Amino acid sequence: MRSRIEVDKNKMPYQFQIMLGGSIYSMEWQYNSTSRRFTCTLCDAQGMPLVYGEPLIYGNPLFAALSHGEILPPMEIMPLDESGETQEITWENFGETVFLTLDDEGESV
């Protein structure tokens, strides 16, 4: 099983700091009930936005359009259901069977 980033959907909108690949980031989480979509804003340790309002799409890495490593976390962060029960993200399954998984095998999170 891969490492996971725990997101509490019941606290949204909210933010927390997290260490990824040796650097501290701030992640701000929101849910839009009209579009039924979760989004994440990623900030550096000083609070400067790096990526604003990135939508979570099942099976697609967050921040995939940008280069990982120097500014962004060096590993992929992907919403997945490792049990194989679903292939979509909903309010009901996010944090229950669909989790943000880290492609961090062998790395320190």
Side-chain angles (χ1 to χ4, degrees):
M1 184 182 301
R2 298 176 182 196
S3 297
R4 297 176 178 170
I5 296 176
E6 298 292 329
V7 177
D8 187 344
K9 65 186 176 194
N10 295 307
K11 291 183 178 180
M12 291 187 186
Y14 85 115
Q15 68 180 27
F16 57 83
Q17 289 192 327
I18 186 169
M19 173 97 47
L20 296 169
S23 296
I24 295 175
Y25 297 92
S26 176
M27 297 181 109
E28 181 178 321
W29 295 94
Q30 302 214 0
Y31 180 74
N32 182 316
S33 59
T34 303
S35 66
R36 292 184 260 169
R37 189 168 292 247
F38 293 93
T39 59
C40 177
T41 295
L42 181 72
C43 299
D44 65 16
Q46 289 74 41
M48 295 298 297
L50 303 172
V51 181
Y52 184 78
E54 175 87 4
L56 270 69
I57 301 171
Y58 183 88
N60 291 330
L62 280 174
F63 325 122
L66 304 169
S67 177
H68 291 266
E70 290 187 33
I71 296 175
L72 298 179
M75 76 283 293
E76 286 187 343
I77 303 168
M78 188 176 319
L80 288 175
D81 179 352
E82 293 182 300
S83 73
E85 288 182 32
T86 189
Q87 293 189 349
E88 66 178 333
I89 302 170
T90 66
W91 178 266
E92 292 76 22
N93 69 19
F94 188 59
E96 305 298 327
T97 61
V98 175
F99 297 95
L100 289 179
T101 63
L102 298 172
D103 186 10
D104 64 347
E105 294 177 1
E107 294 184 28
S108 173
V109 178

